[in-house]
Amino acid sequence: KAVIKVCVHTTCASRGSCAIFQRLQAELYDEAIVREYPHCFDACDDGPNISVNGELLHHVSLETAVRDVRRAFERPSLKSDGQGIRSLTELDDVLDDLTQL
């Protein structure tokens, strides 16, 4: 199952991340493990933030959260946790560009 971490630290919580957590937990219970993440992802200006298998999603709203997560399911990342990751398709594009040098 996918692992979803919802930042519930101060700034994200003030922007509705607790309700986002509840919605994701209710709607994706059979597709993913949804956890509250009490620490900061260090992207407060871009919150609410959630991590889907390590891919950080920014500006998540209650209305778009489930859709955004399902889109992230379609773009598997190479990192199991963290920030600054790229999808496999994006990395393939980078490698293609490098081979043309």
Side-chain angles (χ1 to χ4, degrees), residues 3-8 12 16-18 20-21 24 28 34-37 41 43 46-61 64-70 72 81-83:
V3 176
I4 300 167
K5 297 176 186 175
V6 181
C7 179
V8 292
C12 286
S17 68
C18 294
I20 291 168
F21 165 75
L24 292 174
L28 301 175
V34 182
R35 296 185 176 142
E36 289 181 306
Y37 189 70
F41 286 122
D46 298 322
N49 300 297
I50 63 175
S51 168
V52 179
N53 290 333
E55 177 183 356
L56 199 57
L57 306 180
H58 305 289
H59 305 290
V60 178
S61 72
T64 65
V66 173
R67 181 198 69 203
D68 293 346
V69 167
R70 286 199 172 121
D81 193 21
Q83 301 178 23

Side-chain angles (χ1 to χ4, degrees), residues 39-45 49 56 83:
H39 310 288
C40 185
F41 286 122
D42 294 325
C44 297
D45 291 341
N49 300 297
L56 199 57
Q83 301 178 23

Side-chain angles (χ1 to χ4, degrees), residues 68-84:
D68 293 346
V69 167
R70 286 199 172 121
R71 283 185 182 162
F73 287 167
E74 296 170 4
R75 301 182 318 259
S77 67
L78 295 177
K79 246 179 156 177
S80 62
D81 193 21
Q83 301 178 23

